[in-house]
Amino acid sequence: MERKWKTGISWHFDGEAYVRGYKLFDLIGRLTFTEGIYLVLKGDLPDDREKEMFDAILVSLVEHSIAPPSIISARAVASGGNSLHVGVGAGILAFGEYHGGAIEGAMRFFQENVDKKPDEIVKSYFNNKIRIPGYGHRYYKEFDPRSVKMLEIAKEKGFYGKHCKFAEEIEKEIEKIKGKKLVMNVDGSAGAILSDMGFDWRIGKGLFIIGRIPGIVAHVYEELIYEKPFSKRLDEEKEAEYFGVKPRELPEKYYK
Amino acid sequence: MERKWKTGISWHFDGEAYVRGYKLFDLIGRLTFTEGIYLVLKGDLPDDREKEMFDAILVSLVEHSIAPPSIISARAVASGGNSLHVGVGAGILAFGEYHGGAIEGAMRFFQENVDKKPDEIVKSYFNNKIRIPGYGHRYYKEFDPRSVKMLEIAKEKGFYGKHCKFAEEIEKEIEKIKGKKLVMNVDGSAGAILSDMGFDWRIGKGLFIIGRIPGIVAHVYEELIYEKPFSKRLDEEKEAEYFGVKPRELPEKYYK
Amino acid sequence: MERKWKTGISWHFDGEAYVRGYKLFDLIGRLTFTEGIYLVLKGDLPDDREKEMFDAILVSLVEHSIAPPSIISARAVASGGNSLHVGVGAGILAFGEYHGGAIEGAMRFFQENVDKKPDEIVKSYFNNKIRIPGYGHRYYKEFDPRSVKMLEIAKEKGFYGKHCKFAEEIEKEIEKIKGKKLVMNVDGSAGAILSDMGFDWRIGKGLFIIGRIPGIVAHVYEELIYEKPFSKRLDEEKEAEYFGVKPRELPEKYYK
Amino acid sequence: MERKWKTGISWHFDGEAYVRGYKLFDLIGRLTFTEGIYLVLKGDLPDDREKEMFDAILVSLVEHSIAPPSIISARAVASGGNSLHVGVGAGILAFGEYHGGAIEGAMRFFQENVDKKPDEIVKSYFNNKIRIPGYGHRYYKEFDPRSVKMLEIAKEKGFYGKHCKFAEEIEKEIEKIKGKKLVMNVDGSAGAILSDMGFDWRIGKGLFIIGRIPGIVAHVYEELIYEKPFSKRLDEEKEAEYFGVKPRELPEKYYK
């Protein structure tokens, strides 16, 4: 009979934990954490180039200010009087379609279209008014320096493959068709590189989570250590506004 | 062999769902939702007095402004591009020790101390500088009108029992010892009444959640319907401040 | 300047909480919880027929056995040593597309298609192999008694409107085209009635959550009261299976 | 005026993201992820010894079988039809007091007691029947090989300081007083080392989360890729049992 709980990730053999076939004990003191992450996700150990490329991508995600919704939710939950892990969990929940989803979106776009013609794809997206994920930036209008750097590293490490090439062609086609540049942003370049490293787009959000979780942990810890409980409460008069019905009387019949 | 998953709440008999022994089908159109909640939590159907008392308590919790951390986290998570249920889940996570915990705290206090002497308990709490849960209010200094009303209803319905009596004695003792009044607030009165209705303090937070969830659902729905994605993002310049280290150079050795 | 946090649900006027324009204090002891929920969600008080219809729908959802993923996640999280609200939050998170989404799906289907021709819609869904939400049941092949009852109540209370009529026509068209019956299930009938009550499909999952939360609270409470911590742990040998790579040696180079 | 949202972790200067004072851009391709994590959490870059010690600890946590509650909740939530991040969030929520809390518990124990006399502390814990966190193992009765290895690395890297020494003395005192050995387990040794590295115990759970999240991501991905939706549902007949009231009739009065 097939069991409901099945896994290919890890198991116990003779009471010892094994991860992807390797004894966990043997990995301690021998792998870097990045190698460990790669092994767990991909099923095999990375070589040096893969490890270094992976490090570059994860470091680019490690923390990104107090502003985003994930930090708001994480710190608000912590301020309600919760343990650190509950705040961290609430932070991760914020990573919906519009937050942290761009790498995954770009990976999907590249992986599903890489064998098609760039100009035709760009045209069809523009005609259907669909944004192409991984392009455009609020400040950078000529080039995104992070993407330039990422792609440089990819070339150096041997991960500038068909997805990266395709990603650059898409950037050019967008400029042609739109008449102005939408720079390949860091989600686009990371997405292209991860695709050339062989990562399935459906794990893209997971890579973002692994990369960003140190930042969330640090923020929740900061909230718990430095702030008073319930500090994350809105001041109705200064921070909120009401657009609902004015005060009104409860109808007579309820006063029976 | 004992099974890992055991329950006394509901089960299927002959393919039909039963809740606390009653066929779910039979309850539809016959019970109010309040009676259904009471049945699920307490194991038996309420009589009219129990139902009406329970209604009063749940209505008092149903919604309480956009300000608290639970609404901040719920709306922040929704704004990240999530489905309604994920925002609602994040809202509930905010109900930690300092948010929505006061009814439970008051219930616990009453249930663990009701057979002791009020003056001695108050003294020992004051000597150990522990706040007694369920007393004190920012605005109400003479009496909390909601508690007055709640206790009135409790008397009318027959739930002014030993816990309510004890709660009022505690209020008096606090005034004696402290020299000024700390009014029994709505968490205190609801906690005393729920104790006299026979609810275990360890389900107190659950009652709060059931009561407040309509408000959370309404806020998440409002966020999803009226606001743009990612609307819940801080403006660093206007809303946040930084107390960390100033910009500094990465040491030479990292530029190899 | 427009503020980031805006709401039409509730507000404080002169230090008093108002919900949809009514002073919260006035509602206590005067509304049933069901009326309170309706007010918070819809913005106005229900009349008796609306209240009773709403009660029938919420009661039908109140609890449904230990089996579904929401109870598994809620109890597993509780067993990790968490407070009740964290388990409840994890339970709600399980309400994804395939769990508790059917009412919403049916509401959406009815609201988006009610003015079209039933036979054409059914044909187009069948041709595109898309399941029509709200139809079909594992056991009930002739009719779902719960739907029969729900629709009866709807007729009695005056909520058998164009969506309910449409829902029954769809059921007939499915039988014609498929050659066998797919009964309108309880999600279908509840979805049609809620549509005729004027509820937007996008709040459908919220109604499900409000209805089901008492069951989740009861299960988490049961876990915390009756079970040992960490009780929800798999027995690898009896409950799980491994399909991954066999134990293997860590390559030489890692033993430097 | 003091702002509600304050942080010392990261900030934008001239539109560029800085983390702990370093330009994020400069870190990409120069730091390993482990160095990045260390920087975010501790505020400064690690030297090589710190980096390697940190790697050893994080690798020891990276994944640990399908059995624990966190994987049950993560996969159950995913099976409800949710995006990857929602399942991962639900997994983290399971890390309560009894799951993943042992490192933090051990860190706290060491940090609060390191300057006291080991024999007196052990006696007082035993007299008060409190378990000392970080000692005891189901299988290992003479020594836990992982702890032996960890402490070896700590000595090599220079992190065998007063907390590690204290931890070993506690192990000996337990044996003296109890008459049999309770081996220092991996939570104990990691906790002692992290204490000697200068990590505050209150961030202990955060280190566990960062270390374990790759495993959770891998499990949720596996669930989404290989399993059918709703696969994580209990079979009432085979997996659950009911201890509640038998089917009973709804009283007459409800059939009015």
Side-chain angles (χ1 to χ4, degrees):
Chain A
M1 190 209 67
E2 212 187 49
R3 285 178 174 170
K4 188 159 52 198
W5 301 90
K6 291 183 291 294
T7 185
I9 303 166
S10 69
W11 197 250
H12 284 87
F13 293 98
D14 291 329
E16 285 283 339
Y18 282 72
V19 174
R20 300 291 189 184
Y22 298 115
K23 200 186 283 193
L24 179 56
F25 178 76
D26 290 343
L27 307 181
I28 300 170
R30 296 206 172 87
L31 299 193
T32 66
F33 185 42
T34 302
E35 291 172 304
I37 298 168
Y38 190 100
L39 173 67
V40 168
L41 299 183
K42 271 284 222 110
D44 273 306
L45 288 161
D47 59 27
D48 285 352
R49 301 170 314 111
E50 287 163 328
K51 177 178 69 176
E52 287 161 23
M53 190 74 244
F54 211 41
D55 268 321
I57 291 167
L58 291 171
V59 165
S60 76
L61 299 166
V62 78
E63 155 67 2
H64 203 98
S65 102
I66 197 173
S70 51
I71 304 302
I72 298 181
S73 62
R75 294 185 80 137
V77 163
S79 87
N82 280 291
S83 302
L84 188 135
H85 71 289
V86 184
V88 174
I92 288 176
L93 293 180
F95 293 146
E97 200 187 334
Y98 299 104
H99 186 9
I103 286 187
E104 182 175 302
M107 288 171 79
R108 180 176 194 172
F109 173 77
F110 298 138
Q111 293 176 24
E112 291 183 345
N113 295 298
V114 67
D115 296 324
K116 300 178 192 160
K117 295 198 175 147
D119 57 337
E120 289 177 9
I121 292 155
V122 174
K123 265 177 220 153
S124 111
Y125 269 68
F126 270 73
N127 291 340
N128 294 295
K129 299 194 179 183
I130 309 175
R131 259 190 89 254
I132 298 182
Y135 297 88
H137 195 275
R138 240 187 299 181
Y139 303 115
Y140 303 130
K141 296 300 172 194
E142 283 307 307
F143 59 93
D144 182 332
R146 299 164 306 166
S147 286
V148 173
K149 190 177 204 171
M150 284 287 205
L151 292 171
E152 245 174 55
I153 303 175
K155 275 172 190 162
E156 206 185 298
K157 306 293 178 199
F159 298 108
Y160 187 93
K162 71 173 184 177
H163 296 91
C164 287
K165 212 169 299 169
F166 178 77
E168 296 211 300
E169 286 165 1
I170 291 289
E171 192 185 28
K172 279 178 212 144
E173 290 301 329
I174 292 175
E175 191 175 2
K176 268 195 219 160
I177 288 165
K178 211 183 156 67
K180 73 170 189 176
K181 212 164 182 178
L182 280 186
V183 301
M184 192 197 310
N185 57 37
V186 76
D187 300 308
S189 51
I193 296 166
L194 285 164
S195 299
D196 277 324
M197 292 178 81
F199 282 95
D200 177 6
W201 67 264
R202 290 168 296 182
I203 208 169
K205 183 69 71 65
L207 297 171
F208 179 84
I209 294 172
I210 294 170
R212 179 59 54 83
I213 203 135
I216 300 183
V217 166
H219 277 283
V220 175
Y221 176 70
E222 208 179 48
E223 179 73 26
L224 294 174
I225 296 301
Y226 294 118
E227 305 285 354
K228 290 209 192 95
F230 226 72
S231 78
K232 298 303 172 282
R233 194 180 186 283
L234 296 176
D235 181 328
E236 267 184 41
E237 283 177 43
K238 292 184 189 148
E239 295 180 283
E241 71 184 61
Y242 180 65
F243 61 82
V245 295
K246 295 266 168 318
R248 52 180 168 172
E249 292 299 315
L250 191 63
E252 278 291 317
K253 67 167 180 167
Y254 292 96
Y255 295 85
K256 38 181 176 182
Chain B
M1 191 209 67
E2 212 186 50
R3 286 176 173 171
K4 188 159 51 200
W5 300 91
K6 291 183 291 294
T7 186
I9 302 167
S10 69
W11 198 248
H12 283 87
F13 294 98
D14 291 328
E16 286 282 341
Y18 281 73
V19 174
R20 299 293 189 185
Y22 298 115
K23 200 185 282 192
L24 179 56
F25 178 77
D26 291 341
L27 307 181
I28 300 170
R30 295 208 174 87
L31 298 194
T32 66
F33 185 42
T34 303
E35 290 172 304
I37 298 168
Y38 190 99
L39 172 66
V40 168
L41 299 184
K42 273 284 222 108
D44 274 305
L45 289 161
D47 59 27
D48 285 351
R49 300 170 314 114
E50 286 164 329
K51 176 178 69 175
E52 288 162 22
M53 191 74 244
F54 211 40
D55 269 322
I57 291 167
L58 291 171
V59 165
S60 76
L61 299 166
V62 78
E63 155 67 2
H64 202 99
S65 104
I66 196 174
S70 51
I71 303 303
I72 298 181
S73 61
R75 295 186 81 138
V77 163
S79 87
N82 279 291
S83 303
L84 188 136
H85 72 290
V86 185
V88 173
I92 288 176
L93 292 180
F95 294 146
E97 199 187 334
Y98 299 105
H99 186 11
I103 285 187
E104 182 175 301
M107 286 171 81
R108 180 176 194 171
F109 173 77
F110 297 140
Q111 291 176 24
E112 291 184 345
N113 295 298
V114 66
D115 297 323
K116 298 179 194 160
K117 293 195 176 152
D119 58 337
E120 290 177 10
I121 292 155
V122 174
K123 262 176 222 155
S124 110
Y125 269 68
F126 270 72
N127 291 341
N128 293 296
K129 299 191 179 186
I130 309 173
R131 258 190 89 256
I132 298 181
Y135 297 88
H137 194 276
R138 239 188 298 183
Y139 301 115
Y140 303 130
K141 295 302 172 194
E142 283 307 308
F143 60 92
D144 181 333
R146 300 165 306 166
S147 287
V148 173
K149 191 177 202 170
M150 283 287 204
L151 291 172
E152 244 173 58
I153 303 174
K155 275 174 188 160
E156 206 184 299
K157 306 294 178 197
F159 297 108
Y160 188 92
K162 72 174 182 174
H163 296 91
C164 288
K165 211 169 299 170
F166 178 76
E168 297 212 300
E169 286 165 359
I170 292 291
E171 192 185 30
K172 279 178 212 145
E173 289 302 327
I174 293 175
E175 190 175 3
K176 265 194 219 161
I177 288 163
K178 210 181 157 68
K180 72 170 187 174
K181 213 163 183 180
L182 281 185
V183 302
M184 191 197 307
N185 56 36
V186 74
D187 300 307
S189 51
I193 295 166
L194 285 164
S195 299
D196 278 324
M197 292 177 82
F199 282 95
D200 178 4
W201 68 263
R202 290 167 297 181
I203 208 169
K205 183 70 72 66
L207 297 171
F208 180 84
I209 293 172
I210 294 170
R212 181 59 55 83
I213 204 135
I216 300 182
V217 166
H219 277 283
V220 175
Y221 176 71
E222 208 178 49
E223 180 73 27
L224 294 174
I225 296 301
Y226 294 117
E227 306 285 352
K228 290 208 192 96
F230 227 72
S231 77
K232 299 302 173 282
R233 195 179 185 284
L234 295 177
D235 180 329
E236 266 185 40
E237 283 178 44
K238 292 186 189 146
E239 295 180 283
E241 72 184 62
Y242 179 65
F243 61 82
V245 296
K246 295 265 167 318
R248 51 179 168 172
E249 293 298 316
L250 192 63
E252 278 292 317
K253 65 166 182 170
Y254 292 95
Y255 296 85
K256 29 169 189 190
Chain C
M1 190 210 67
E2 212 187 48
R3 286 178 174 170
K4 188 158 55 199
W5 300 91
K6 290 183 292 295
T7 186
I9 303 167
S10 69
W11 198 249
H12 284 87
F13 293 98
D14 292 327
E16 284 283 339
Y18 281 72
V19 174
R20 300 291 189 184
Y22 298 116
K23 200 184 282 192
L24 178 56
F25 178 77
D26 290 342
L27 307 181
I28 301 171
R30 295 205 174 89
L31 299 193
T32 66
F33 185 41
T34 302
E35 290 172 303
I37 298 169
Y38 191 99
L39 173 67
V40 168
L41 299 183
K42 273 284 221 109
D44 274 305
L45 288 161
D47 60 24
D48 284 353
R49 300 168 316 112
E50 287 164 328
K51 177 178 71 174
E52 286 161 24
M53 192 72 244
F54 211 41
D55 268 322
I57 291 168
L58 291 171
V59 165
S60 76
L61 299 166
V62 80
E63 154 69 1
H64 202 99
S65 103
I66 196 173
S70 52
I71 303 302
I72 297 181
S73 61
R75 295 186 77 138
V77 163
S79 86
N82 280 291
S83 302
L84 187 135
H85 71 290
V86 185
V88 173
I92 287 175
L93 293 180
F95 293 146
E97 198 186 334
Y98 299 105
H99 186 9
I103 286 186
E104 182 175 301
M107 287 170 80
R108 180 176 195 171
F109 173 77
F110 298 139
Q111 292 176 22
E112 292 183 346
N113 295 297
V114 66
D115 296 324
K116 299 179 193 159
K117 292 194 176 154
D119 57 337
E120 290 177 8
I121 293 155
V122 174
K123 264 177 219 152
S124 110
Y125 269 67
F126 270 72
N127 291 340
N128 293 296
K129 298 193 179 183
I130 308 174
R131 258 191 89 254
I132 298 180
Y135 297 87
H137 194 275
R138 238 187 300 184
Y139 301 115
Y140 303 130
K141 296 302 173 191
E142 283 307 307
F143 60 90
D144 181 334
R146 299 164 306 167
S147 287
V148 174
K149 191 177 202 170
M150 284 287 205
L151 290 172
E152 245 174 57
I153 303 175
K155 275 173 190 161
E156 207 185 298
K157 307 291 178 199
F159 298 107
Y160 188 92
K162 72 173 182 175
H163 296 92
C164 286
K165 211 169 299 170
F166 179 76
E168 296 211 301
E169 285 165 1
I170 292 291
E171 192 185 28
K172 279 179 210 144
E173 290 302 327
I174 293 175
E175 190 175 2
K176 268 195 217 159
I177 288 162
K178 210 182 155 68
K180 73 169 188 175
K181 211 163 183 179
L182 280 186
V183 301
M184 191 198 308
N185 56 38
V186 75
D187 300 307
S189 51
I193 296 165
L194 285 164
S195 299
D196 278 326
M197 292 177 81
F199 282 95
D200 177 6
W201 68 265
R202 291 168 295 182
I203 208 168
K205 182 71 71 65
L207 297 171
F208 180 83
I209 293 172
I210 294 170
R212 180 59 54 82
I213 204 136
I216 300 182
V217 166
H219 277 283
V220 174
Y221 176 71
E222 208 179 48
E223 180 73 27
L224 294 175
I225 296 301
Y226 294 117
E227 304 285 352
K228 289 209 193 95
F230 226 72
S231 78
K232 297 304 172 282
R233 193 181 187 283
L234 296 176
D235 181 330
E236 267 184 40
E237 283 177 43
K238 292 186 189 147
E239 295 178 282
E241 72 184 61
Y242 180 65
F243 61 82
V245 295
K246 294 268 168 316
R248 51 180 168 172
E249 292 299 316
L250 191 64
E252 278 291 316
K253 66 165 181 170
Y254 292 96
Y255 295 86
K256 31 175 186 185
Chain D
M1 190 209 66
E2 211 187 49
R3 286 178 174 171
K4 188 159 54 199
W5 300 91
K6 290 183 292 294
T7 186
I9 302 167
S10 69
W11 197 250
H12 284 87
F13 294 98
D14 292 329
E16 285 282 340
Y18 281 72
V19 174
R20 301 291 188 185
Y22 298 115
K23 200 185 282 192
L24 179 55
F25 178 76
D26 290 341
L27 308 181
I28 300 170
R30 295 205 174 88
L31 298 194
T32 65
F33 184 41
T34 302
E35 290 172 304
I37 299 169
Y38 190 99
L39 173 67
V40 169
L41 299 183
K42 271 285 220 106
D44 274 305
L45 288 161
D47 59 25
D48 283 353
R49 303 169 314 112
E50 287 163 329
K51 176 179 70 175
E52 287 161 24
M53 192 72 245
F54 211 40
D55 268 322
I57 291 168
L58 290 171
V59 165
S60 77
L61 299 167
V62 78
E63 154 68 1
H64 202 99
S65 104
I66 196 174
S70 51
I71 304 302
I72 298 181
S73 61
R75 294 185 79 137
V77 163
S79 87
N82 279 291
S83 302
L84 187 135
H85 72 289
V86 185
V88 174
I92 286 176
L93 293 181
F95 292 147
E97 199 187 334
Y98 299 105
H99 186 8
I103 285 186
E104 181 174 303
M107 286 170 81
R108 179 176 195 171
F109 173 77
F110 298 140
Q111 292 177 23
E112 291 183 346
N113 295 298
V114 67
D115 296 324
K116 299 180 192 160
K117 296 197 173 147
D119 57 337
E120 289 177 9
I121 292 154
V122 173
K123 262 176 222 155
S124 111
Y125 269 67
F126 270 73
N127 291 340
N128 293 296
K129 299 193 178 182
I130 309 174
R131 260 190 88 256
I132 298 181
Y135 296 88
H137 195 275
R138 238 186 301 180
Y139 302 116
Y140 303 130
K141 296 302 173 194
E142 283 307 307
F143 59 92
D144 181 334
R146 300 165 305 168
S147 287
V148 173
K149 191 178 203 170
M150 284 288 205
L151 291 171
E152 245 174 57
I153 302 174
K155 274 173 189 161
E156 208 185 299
K157 306 293 178 200
F159 298 108
Y160 188 92
K162 71 173 184 177
H163 296 92
C164 287
K165 211 169 298 169
F166 179 76
E168 297 211 302
E169 285 166 0
I170 292 290
E171 193 184 29
K172 278 178 213 146
E173 289 302 328
I174 292 175
E175 190 175 2
K176 267 194 219 160
I177 287 163
K178 210 181 156 67
K180 72 169 187 176
K181 213 165 182 177
L182 281 185
V183 301
M184 191 197 309
N185 56 38
V186 75
D187 300 308
S189 51
I193 296 165
L194 285 164
S195 299
D196 278 325
M197 292 177 81
F199 281 96
D200 177 6
W201 67 264
R202 289 167 298 181
I203 208 169
K205 182 71 69 67
L207 297 170
F208 180 84
I209 293 172
I210 293 169
R212 180 60 54 83
I213 203 136
I216 300 182
V217 167
H219 277 283
V220 175
Y221 176 71
E222 209 179 47
E223 180 74 27
L224 294 174
I225 297 300
Y226 294 118
E227 305 285 353
K228 289 209 194 94
F230 226 71
S231 79
K232 298 303 172 282
R233 193 181 185 284
L234 295 176
D235 181 329
E236 266 184 42
E237 281 178 44
K238 290 184 190 150
E239 295 180 282
E241 71 183 63
Y242 179 65
F243 61 82
V245 296
K246 295 266 168 317
R248 51 179 169 172
E249 292 299 316
L250 191 64
E252 278 291 316
K253 65 167 181 168
Y254 293 94
Y255 296 87
K256 36 182 180 183

XYZ file of all heavy atoms in Angstrom, chain D residues 180-210:
234
model
N 23.657 8.215 36.769
C 23.860 7.741 35.388
C 23.991 8.943 34.456
O 23.588 10.051 34.794
C 22.740 6.806 34.929
C 21.433 7.479 34.671
C 20.448 6.519 33.969
C 19.197 7.304 33.559
N 18.235 6.510 32.806
N 24.585 8.655 33.312
C 24.900 9.743 32.407
C 23.680 10.238 31.630
O 22.831 9.457 31.214
C 25.961 9.244 31.408
C 26.908 10.340 30.993
C 28.154 9.784 30.310
C 29.095 10.946 29.969
N 30.354 10.483 29.372
N 23.584 11.559 31.488
C 22.676 12.154 30.496
C 23.597 12.926 29.565
O 24.128 13.976 29.932
C 21.705 13.136 31.156
C 20.486 12.589 31.893
C 19.603 13.727 32.373
C 19.688 11.637 30.994
N 23.844 12.380 28.388
C 24.850 12.989 27.513
C 24.463 14.396 27.062
O 23.289 14.701 26.859
C 25.098 12.129 26.248
C 25.557 10.741 26.652
C 23.848 12.062 25.380
N 25.483 15.245 26.909
C 25.224 16.559 26.329
C 24.854 16.322 24.865
O 25.643 15.753 24.106
C 26.485 17.429 26.393
C 26.195 18.893 26.048
S 27.681 19.860 25.620
C 28.773 19.510 26.970
N 23.640 16.714 24.500
C 23.216 16.471 23.115
C 23.609 17.645 22.217
O 24.263 18.590 22.674
C 21.708 16.174 23.064
C 20.891 17.281 23.692
O 21.214 18.451 23.545
N 19.842 16.911 24.407
N 23.202 17.546 20.967
C 23.670 18.533 19.999
C 23.103 19.930 20.285
O 23.736 20.952 19.992
C 23.382 18.047 18.556
C 21.919 18.195 18.240
C 24.248 18.773 17.549
N 21.923 19.977 20.882
C 21.374 21.283 21.271
C 22.220 21.885 22.384
O 22.469 23.090 22.409
C 19.933 21.136 21.757
C 19.041 20.558 20.674
O 19.039 21.096 19.566
O 18.368 19.540 20.939
N 22.663 21.026 23.287
C 23.507 21.500 24.374
C 24.845 22.018 23.871
O 25.276 23.119 24.231
N 25.499 21.243 23.010
C 26.820 21.679 22.552
C 26.705 22.909 21.655
O 27.469 23.876 21.809
C 27.548 20.538 21.828
O 26.741 19.968 20.826
N 25.719 22.917 20.738
C 25.546 24.097 19.886
C 25.209 25.316 20.740
O 25.712 26.419 20.505
C 24.445 23.850 18.844
N 24.373 25.102 21.733
C 23.989 26.215 22.606
C 25.179 26.785 23.371
O 25.308 28.009 23.531
N 26.047 25.906 23.835
C 27.224 26.364 24.571
C 28.176 27.128 23.644
O 28.701 28.190 23.992
C 27.943 25.162 25.197
N 28.373 26.588 22.460
C 29.285 27.237 21.517
C 28.743 28.599 21.071
O 29.468 29.599 21.061
C 29.528 26.325 20.286
C 30.236 25.036 20.723
C 30.336 27.051 19.218
C 30.213 23.919 19.693
N 27.463 28.640 20.724
C 26.871 29.914 20.317
C 26.982 30.942 21.440
O 27.177 32.134 21.195
C 25.396 29.721 19.908
C 25.216 29.056 18.531
C 23.790 28.537 18.350
C 25.554 30.040 17.405
N 26.864 30.479 22.661
C 27.030 31.392 23.792
C 28.461 31.917 23.830
O 28.692 33.108 24.057
C 26.689 30.680 25.103
O 25.341 30.247 25.089
N 29.417 31.035 23.598
C 30.818 31.488 23.576
C 31.137 32.350 22.348
O 32.124 33.082 22.342
C 31.771 30.285 23.665
C 31.959 29.834 25.111
O 31.958 30.708 26.014
O 32.082 28.624 25.363
N 30.291 32.240 21.327
C 30.458 33.125 20.160
C 29.799 34.484 20.389
O 29.885 35.372 19.543
C 29.845 32.483 18.907
C 30.575 31.244 18.420
S 29.709 30.496 16.987
C 30.327 31.550 15.640
N 29.102 34.595 21.506
C 28.513 35.884 21.837
C 27.077 36.094 21.383
O 26.581 37.222 21.377
N 26.398 35.008 21.027
C 24.994 35.152 20.636
C 24.093 35.144 21.872
O 24.212 34.285 22.739
C 24.575 34.026 19.682
C 25.033 34.242 18.268
C 26.214 33.653 17.816
C 24.310 35.048 17.402
C 26.655 33.857 16.514
C 24.745 35.256 16.100
C 25.923 34.667 15.652
N 23.179 36.091 21.900
C 22.172 36.207 22.945
C 21.193 35.029 22.835
O 20.761 34.684 21.734
C 21.431 37.537 22.710
C 20.298 37.783 23.684
O 20.122 37.001 24.631
O 19.588 38.798 23.488
N 20.837 34.420 23.957
C 19.930 33.260 23.895
C 18.592 33.612 23.247
O 17.925 32.739 22.687
C 19.718 32.638 25.272
C 18.976 33.486 26.263
C 19.496 34.293 27.221
C 17.553 33.600 26.404
N 18.506 34.906 27.945
C 17.295 34.498 27.470
C 16.455 33.014 25.742
C 16.008 34.835 27.893
C 15.173 33.352 26.146
C 14.958 34.258 27.216
N 18.212 34.861 23.325
C 16.890 35.215 22.792
C 16.819 35.193 21.271
O 15.742 35.316 20.688
C 16.471 36.587 23.335
C 16.145 36.512 24.828
C 16.036 37.888 25.441
N 17.298 38.623 25.359
C 17.474 39.854 25.835
N 16.463 40.490 26.410
N 18.642 40.448 25.741
N 17.960 34.976 20.612
C 17.923 34.808 19.160
C 18.139 33.337 18.789
O 18.201 32.978 17.608
C 18.953 35.729 18.455
C 18.451 36.070 17.047
C 20.345 35.101 18.405
C 19.217 37.155 16.343
N 18.205 32.487 19.805
C 18.482 31.068 19.581
C 17.501 30.393 18.635
O 17.887 29.671 17.713
N 16.217 30.628 18.842
C 15.207 30.015 17.970
C 15.379 30.521 16.535
O 15.128 29.797 15.572
C 13.804 30.347 18.500
C 12.644 29.748 17.741
C 12.499 28.254 17.910
C 12.071 27.833 19.268
N 10.725 28.201 19.669
N 15.814 31.761 16.414
C 16.032 32.330 15.077
C 17.135 31.593 14.333
O 17.038 31.355 13.122
N 18.183 31.212 15.045
C 19.259 30.443 14.414
C 18.748 29.087 13.968
O 19.071 28.599 12.889
C 20.440 30.290 15.388
C 21.087 31.618 15.788
C 22.077 31.410 16.921
C 21.779 32.247 14.580
N 17.929 28.483 14.818
C 17.332 27.210 14.453
C 16.489 27.358 13.184
O 16.560 26.538 12.266
C 16.477 26.675 15.605
C 15.834 25.362 15.299
C 16.529 24.184 15.471
C 14.542 25.306 14.797
C 15.946 22.963 15.154
C 13.953 24.100 14.472
C 14.654 22.922 14.656
N 15.682 28.409 13.132
C 14.817 28.618 11.964
C 15.640 28.802 10.697
O 15.373 28.188 9.664
C 13.914 29.860 12.177
C 12.916 29.607 13.302
C 13.166 30.205 10.884
C 12.117 30.844 13.711
N 16.667 29.653 10.776
C 17.514 29.889 9.603
C 18.159 28.581 9.144
O 18.224 28.282 7.955
C 18.594 30.954 9.920
C 17.922 32.315 10.155
C 19.623 31.045 8.793
C 18.856 33.383 10.731
